[in-house]
Amino acid sequence: MKFFRILGRSIRDAFKSVGRNFSLSLASISCIIITLVIVAMSIVVSYNVENISNVLREDLTIVAFVSNDADEFVVKKLKLDIEDISNVDKVTFKDKSEIKNEMMKEDEAFENAMKTWDEEENPLQHTYLVKVKDIEEITETATAIKNLDGIDVVKYGEGMVDQLITVFKVAERASIIAVIALVLMTMFLIVNTIKLTIFSRKREISIMRLVGASNFAIKLPFVVEGMILGFLGSILPVIGMIYGYKTLYTYFGGKFFTDIIKLVRPEPFIYYAALIVVGIGILVGMLGSSRAVRKYLKV
Amino acid sequence: MEFIKFNGVTKQYKNGVVAIYDLNLSIEKGDFCYIIGGSGSGKSTLIKMLYREEKPTRGEIILGGLKVNKLRNSSVYKLRRKLGVVFQDYRLLPKSNVYENVAFALEAIGLKKRDIRPKVLKAIELVGLKSKLRDYPDNLSGGEQQRVAIARAIVNEPKLLICDEPTGNLDPVMSMEIVKLLEEINKKEGTTVIMVTHDKTIVNKRKKHVIALKEGHLFKDYKKGEYIDEIL
């Protein structure tokens, strides 16, 4: 009970103090807002990148065209050889007549051109559709397949995949660096805000010490103040993130320019992300104020 | 019965100054004791060591059976709950009224609101400020402000009241009123009172136990009723 009384008093004092040092509090809150906006964007981007990578992993297929010179034995042996490659997940064979039929169904022009082809005349090639386990090693896997006897050509959208992976990685690293730099800057500002509060309440603190308030009771209001600053700073980024992402999702119809890049559904993802942003705000505020209390509050 | 005991206490500050040198003294429970001495005699250091604002370099301080010098920093608050301290400059919260200033001492140690009110009212009544409950320090005279500080110091019913030159900022009439108030607290509540002062007139008029310090040494320990004539 005593703990809750001290906590209640600390919360009351912390709110008073935020109001008393309003300009510095506002500076801290503004800095937290900027930090958390970047954090929120990073969370949204990295979760979507993760999602896109997963989708790509599921959708991306290496198409290996079997040479028309290969006999039936070579074609069958190729399946085993491809399956032996360590990064290969699943191998599916497609007969060239099956491909012809599918193409004829897709387009009338194809149908007119292909309907007269018999087995001998069909210039299409048997193909193996190969799924990989690790998308980042797709180039090596494709090369290994291409080197097999009986494989003519291998296609997997090589340029695009490599570029996408590079862009995602750069975006992820840049956002992590920006977040760390901003978190440090925010903590520095919070330390200074709390330092000012400590100085403005010097008399109060000295009386508290004299009358026998515990160190915990003396320190708590300042730590709570840091947490309040963090919480207040997280409100705008969270609102911006929830409405911004929902609007973006609706505007793009759930995908980002192409069908390959599908956005994560806003619910419940965005609410979990909001909780993380609020949590980070409070944590940064708490760490900043704890540091100031350790440094400037001699109790 | 010995309530406070200094056994061979020496205090040397970090800059090398020795404020107290090999001090031995004792104060009885329920005593009213003046500590007198010139500037730099070690009066303030002595009382600071009592409420563990300073630690002795050597020797032992015992307060109500508790070895003050052995207390860990994290436990100092337990000692301070058993004593009250009053300063020359009152140290009141300017934005809080009389009631709030006194109640602050109990809020800070986490007392329940319903327990705080009767204790605060009792302390304020004892110092004679019942009619000024809602007044702010700026609207009070020096003597009244010191009364608020005394009320705050005694509100938790301490065993020991330490007063560091409480009359230093007051005129002779007000000073005497404050001294009488402290004596009343000493008598009514049985609180041991230690008062540091420069004012020899007060000391001689009241004829209490007096400890005189000079350059960090115990100059003389006057028993109750003795007349102080030395110029310190």
Side-chain angles (χ1 to χ4, degrees):
Chain A
M1 277 314 282
K2 198 170 180 179
F3 169 80
F4 290 109
R5 276 198 297 278
I6 290 172
L7 184 68
R9 202 178 144 266
S10 300
I11 292 171
R12 192 190 66 197
D13 286 355
F15 270 109
K16 266 189 199 168
S17 184
V18 169
R20 214 180 292 161
N21 302 316
F22 187 69
S23 53
L24 204 65
S25 299
L26 201 66
S28 295
I29 291 171
S30 310
C31 203
I32 294 169
I33 289 175
I34 297 166
T35 308
L36 293 184
V37 164
I38 309 277
V39 171
M41 279 162 62
S42 304
I43 292 173
V44 169
V45 168
S46 49
Y47 195 75
N48 272 288
V49 165
E50 177 87 24
N51 185 56
I52 292 160
S53 301
N54 287 340
V55 172
L56 279 180
R57 204 162 282 139
E58 281 164 19
D59 285 1
L60 208 72
T61 309
I62 299 174
V63 185
F65 294 90
V66 180
S67 164
N68 279 340
D69 298 336
D71 59 27
E72 201 176 327
F73 173 75
V74 172
V75 173
K76 280 186 178 161
K77 188 178 170 289
L78 268 172
K79 186 170 196 285
L80 300 173
D81 289 344
I82 294 170
E83 279 170 347
D84 275 350
I85 298 168
S86 59
N87 193 35
V88 168
D89 188 26
K90 201 177 149 198
V91 183
T92 319
F93 178 70
K94 253 190 179 173
D95 187 82
K96 63 182 187 179
S97 56
E98 194 183 335
I99 299 168
K100 185 189 92 176
N101 293 337
E102 277 178 13
M103 287 176 79
M104 281 167 63
K105 271 182 209 162
E106 266 175 33
D107 201 306
E108 209 177 322
F110 284 149
E111 195 186 350
N112 292 334
M114 293 175 175
K115 66 182 173 194
T116 53
W117 294 353
D118 60 15
E119 191 67 18
E120 288 296 307
E121 277 176 292
N122 184 354
L124 298 172
Q125 293 167 287
H126 297 311
T127 56
Y128 278 107
L129 305 176
V130 183
K131 297 264 186 198
V132 291
K133 290 172 191 159
D134 185 358
I135 194 173
E136 285 181 33
E137 283 176 25
I138 195 165
T139 309
E140 290 79 0
T141 312
T143 312
I145 295 171
K146 191 177 185 307
N147 290 339
L148 294 173
D149 281 337
I151 295 292
D152 206 0
V153 184
V154 165
K155 291 277 175 202
Y156 64 96
E158 45 269 52
M160 190 199 72
V161 171
D162 288 345
Q163 272 176 7
L164 265 182
I165 289 171
T166 313
V167 167
F168 290 162
K169 275 188 174 171
V170 169
E172 221 166 344
R173 274 182 201 157
S175 60
I176 287 171
I177 292 169
V179 166
I180 291 172
L182 278 161
V183 162
L184 290 177
M185 201 170 92
T186 309
M187 274 177 66
F188 173 76
L189 256 165
I190 289 173
V191 167
N192 280 291
T193 311
I194 302 296
K195 179 176 145 188
L196 202 83
T197 312
I198 289 171
F199 285 135
S200 74
R201 290 178 58 193
K202 232 175 176 173
R203 169 160 290 201
E204 216 170 300
I205 293 165
S206 78
I207 297 167
M208 285 177 87
R209 293 177 60 203
L210 273 178
V211 299
S214 62
N215 287 351
F216 171 74
I218 296 175
K219 287 174 178 177
L220 194 62
F222 301 105
V223 177
V224 172
E225 185 178 341
M227 290 166 79
I228 289 172
L229 291 176
F231 175 73
L232 293 176
S234 69
I235 294 173
L236 276 181
V238 161
I239 293 173
M241 183 173 75
I242 292 174
Y243 285 99
Y245 188 70
K246 279 185 177 177
T247 311
L248 195 83
Y249 187 85
T250 317
Y251 181 77
F252 285 112
K255 52 202 172 191
F256 198 60
F257 297 115
T258 105
D259 281 347
I260 304 171
I261 306 178
K262 284 190 180 112
L263 295 171
V264 181
R265 289 183 145 278
E267 281 153 2
F269 153 67
I270 206 70
Y271 297 115
Y272 291 136
L275 279 180
I276 293 172
V277 170
V278 173
I280 290 175
I282 293 174
L283 194 72
V284 168
M286 194 176 79
L287 291 178
S289 55
S290 303
R291 193 177 151 72
V293 164
R294 258 205 317 278
K295 210 169 165 191
Y296 301 106
L297 193 65
K298 304 275 181 246
V299 287
Chain B
M1 194 169 76
E2 276 173 353
F3 182 53
I4 297 165
K5 203 162 168 51
F6 280 62
N7 287 330
V9 173
T10 295
K11 172 66 190 179
Q12 182 172 20
Y13 285 104
K14 278 181 185 160
N15 59 8
V17 173
V18 181
I20 296 281
Y21 185 78
D22 195 24
L23 186 70
N24 292 292
L25 59 87
S26 62
I27 296 169
E28 304 272 294
K29 193 169 175 39
D31 200 358
F32 192 114
C33 177
Y34 288 104
I35 294 176
I36 60 167
S39 295
S41 60
K43 307 182 301 284
S44 294
T45 303
L46 187 150
I47 59 164
K48 275 183 182 168
M49 286 193 291
L50 261 182
Y51 62 85
R52 247 304 296 275
E53 183 69 23
E54 294 291 346
K55 261 175 137 175
T57 316
R58 265 199 309 278
E60 183 182 56
I61 300 171
I62 300 168
L63 198 161
L66 187 75
K67 285 187 179 170
V68 175
N69 51 301
K70 295 269 187 209
L71 265 182
R72 281 187 309 187
N73 285 348
S74 57
S75 303
V76 169
Y77 74 94
K78 290 177 189 163
L79 164 80
R80 292 190 178 158
R81 286 183 189 185
K82 291 179 184 153
L83 44 90
V85 190
V86 177
F87 296 95
Q88 182 177 349
D89 59 357
Y90 326 129
R91 301 200 188 171
L92 300 177
L93 300 172
K95 287 177 183 167
S96 303
N97 62 31
V98 170
Y99 180 90
E100 289 162 347
N101 261 290
V102 179
F104 180 75
L106 299 177
E107 283 172 11
I109 58 171
L111 239 68
K112 285 179 200 160
K113 233 176 186 166
R114 62 166 183 271
D115 293 339
I116 291 175
R117 195 170 168 77
K119 279 177 178 252
V120 173
L121 292 177
K122 186 187 164 200
I124 293 175
E125 194 173 351
L126 191 63
V127 299
L129 286 177
K130 209 178 168 188
S131 58
K132 306 220 165 182
L133 271 184
R134 304 287 160 212
D135 285 14
Y136 285 83
D138 279 353
N139 302 328
L140 300 173
S141 69
E144 286 170 334
Q145 289 191 49
Q146 194 57 289
R147 282 168 185 270
V148 179
I150 293 169
R152 185 181 62 200
I154 60 164
V155 71
N156 201 23
E157 294 158 8
K159 301 274 177 280
L160 172 67
L161 183 59
I162 300 170
C163 308
D164 191 0
E165 306 208 28
T167 58
N169 283 345
L170 306 175
D171 62 41
V173 180
M174 285 237 191
S175 295
M176 198 50 80
E177 274 182 17
I178 292 295
V179 169
K180 282 180 181 167
L181 172 64
L182 292 173
E183 284 180 3
E184 193 189 334
I185 291 164
N186 169 249
K187 208 173 156 190
K188 261 192 183 170
E189 311 292 319
T191 312
T192 307
V193 179
I194 295 179
M195 177 172 155
V196 171
T197 184
H198 269 117
D199 195 335
K200 220 163 66 173
T201 323
I202 290 179
V203 176
N204 275 326
K205 266 190 184 167
R206 310 314 296 174
K207 298 205 184 318
K208 301 276 184 187
H209 178 198
V210 179
I211 290 167
L213 298 177
K214 194 174 184 182
E215 292 165 0
H217 294 267
L218 177 65
F219 180 71
K220 202 164 178 184
D221 194 341
Y222 297 91
K223 294 300 157 204
K224 206 170 167 181
E226 277 188 67
Y227 185 79
I228 320 298
D229 51 358
E230 288 92 344
I231 298 161
L232 299 170

